[in-house]
């Protein structure tokens, strides 16, 4: 999805030793997600055999290839994930409700406090606001709680073999092998999301090679482990080298203190709040080229630093609901025994499933769709 840093929004890599790999006799690496199990595939075996020659020509040693592919395998689940990426048509209001949910803000403040000393040193070194680094961490992996557990060599080799974006994924696979050859991580430890994004802040391999740093001085650029130090510093390195202007806010809602740094006004959702954004907003977009993402990072960063919610209002949604009315639907569903998930004012899959269950349980037409009539019924 984001070619400068990562592919899609996740990552992992699939690889095999040769066309006669021991994978065909049960040598696969165990994966926690049953949807990401490795399966025998002779076409993939042949592709890997050919790739080994190309990789050796690019300076990857036989020993690295042997170690990387020893327990790798074709992973059909990553193909399914690639084919079924959902293009969510989230409004900015919905996106910000998720990006800066009460849970994410609270965890962001707690993690900022926990790693304050490290974050202060990172900010002093790279000039990037520590709260922005923490916000990216929060949006990418909920502060390291959701780093992904798919073997990167298996996922990337599967995607390269599949061919839809074969050249790109082969480039990422080669970069992943360079990381292994450098000794930053073992093949078993190199895990990530289904499309090869790795670690606390979800770097793809080429971006790792370009920007990752060993900030804690242990001799490895470790973005995968429980200690987030190198990952947070690597993100600061990325933003710094992408043009971050030290001491300047990213911008903010029009009328807020941060808006004074804005060089242009944007209104991403018709009828919604207006934001004034500056050069550092564009640097955040280098990390992920999405206006909603950059606003989400900036807004979450401000909330972590103690700012309040957005003051401007958003227009009613397509059902005629305000955010408070959407939350009322969720709260009343929960009170009635139907779990809508987070009470965040976003009608996602869990809320729609709860609506369907409520409709089914009360003899109503099962649509999963909210309505004013449903809210009125819930309020009786």
């Amino acid at each position: 999805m984001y070619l400068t840093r990562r592919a899609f929004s996740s990552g992992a890599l699939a690889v095999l030793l040769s066309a006669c790999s021991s994978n065909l006799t049960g040598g696969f690496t165990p994966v926690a997600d049953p949807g990401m199990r490795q399966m025998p595939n002779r076409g993939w075996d042949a592709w890997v055999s050919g790739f080994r020659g190309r990789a050796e020509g690019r300076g990857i040693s036989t020993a690295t290839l042997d170690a990387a592919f020893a327990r790798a395998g074709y992973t059909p689940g990553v193909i399914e994930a690639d084919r079924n990426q959902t293009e969510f048509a989230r409004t900015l209001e919905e996106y910000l409700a998720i990006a800066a949910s009460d849970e994410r803000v609270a965890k962001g403040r707690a993690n900022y406090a926990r790693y304050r000393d490290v974050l202060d040193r990172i900010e002093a070194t790279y000039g990037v606001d520590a709260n922005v680094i923490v916000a990216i961490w929060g949006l990418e992996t909920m502060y390291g709680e959701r780093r992904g557990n798919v073997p990167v060599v298996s996922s990337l080799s599967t995607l390269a073999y599949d061919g839809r974006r074969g050249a790109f994924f082969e480039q990422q696979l080669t970069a992943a092998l360079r990381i292994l050859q450098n000794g930053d991580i073992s093949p078993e430890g190199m895990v990530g999301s289904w499309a090869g994004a790795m670690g606390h802040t979800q770097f793809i391999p080429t971006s790792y090679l370009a920007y990752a740093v060993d900030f804690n001085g242990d001799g490895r650029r470790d973005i995968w482990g429980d200690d987030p130090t190198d990952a947070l510093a690597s993100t600061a390195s990325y933003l710094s080298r992408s043009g971050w202007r030290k001491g300047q806010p990213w911008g903010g809602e029009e009328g807020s203190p941060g808006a004074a740094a804005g060089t242009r006004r944007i209104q991403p959702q018709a009828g919604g709040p207006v934001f004034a954004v500056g050069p550092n907003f564009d640097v955040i977009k280098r990390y992920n080229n999405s206006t909603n993402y950059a606003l989400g990072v900036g807004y979450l960063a401000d909330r972590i630093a103690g700012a309040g919610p957005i003051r401007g209002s958003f227009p009613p949604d397509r059902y005629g609901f305000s955010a408070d009315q959407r939350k009322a639907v969720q709260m009343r569903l929960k009170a009635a025994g139907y779990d809508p998930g987070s009470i965040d004012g976003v009608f996602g899959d869990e809320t729609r499933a709860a609506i369907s269950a409520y409709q089914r349980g009360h003899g109503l037409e099962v649509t999963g769709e909210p309505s004013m009539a449903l809210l009125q019924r819930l309020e009786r």
Side-chain angles (χ1 to χ4, degrees), residues 232-267:
L232 298 177
S234 296
T235 300
S237 166
Y238 186 106
L239 295 178
S240 175
R241 291 172 59 186
S242 297
W244 187 269
R245 299 189 183 186
K246 182 179 180 179
Q248 287 192 15
W250 64 273
E253 184 182 7
E254 196 167 57
S256 71
T263 56
R264 67 185 188 280
R265 298 166 73 253
I266 60 173
Q267 187 181 37

Side-chain angles (χ1 to χ4, degrees), residues 245-321:
R245 299 189 183 186
K246 182 179 180 179
Q248 287 192 15
W250 64 273
E253 184 182 7
E254 196 167 57
S256 71
T263 56
R264 67 185 188 280
R265 298 166 73 253
I266 60 173
Q267 187 181 37
Q269 183 174 343
V274 174
F275 298 86
V277 299
N280 284 343
F281 176 82
D282 296 323
V283 174
I284 297 171
K285 289 186 70 173
R286 289 284 304 275
Y287 203 81
N288 179 328
N289 190 24
S290 159
T291 294
N292 281 3
Y293 179 89
L295 287 172
V297 167
Y299 179 45
L300 178 58
D302 291 347
R303 295 296 314 278
I304 290 169
I310 286 175
R311 292 171 297 178
S313 60
F314 288 90
D317 66 13
R318 62 192 180 98
Y319 303 105
F321 284 118

Side-chain angles (χ1 to χ4, degrees), residues 90-98 100-102 269 314-319 321-331 340-349 351-352 370:
R90 295 285 190 209
T91 65
L92 177 63
E93 182 182 22
E94 292 172 325
Y95 190 92
L96 294 182
I98 296 169
S101 65
D102 290 345
Q269 183 174 343
F314 288 90
D317 66 13
R318 62 192 180 98
Y319 303 105
F321 284 118
S322 67
D324 286 343
Q325 287 172 318
R326 291 193 295 273
K327 289 179 182 178
V329 169
Q330 292 174 321
M331 286 188 290
S342 299
I343 308 298
D344 55 11
V346 178
F347 290 146
D349 290 343
T351 300
R352 293 179 186 281

Side-chain angles (χ1 to χ4, degrees), residues 5-7 13 152 156 171-177 179 190 195-198 203-210:
R5 175 180 58 92
R6 64 180 192 169
L13 184 52
V152 167
L156 290 182
Q171 177 191 31
Q172 296 307 318
L173 177 56
T174 302
L177 294 172
I179 295 168
M190 183 182 271
M198 308 179 296
F203 272 61
I204 56 172
T206 51
S207 292
Y208 174 97
L209 290 176

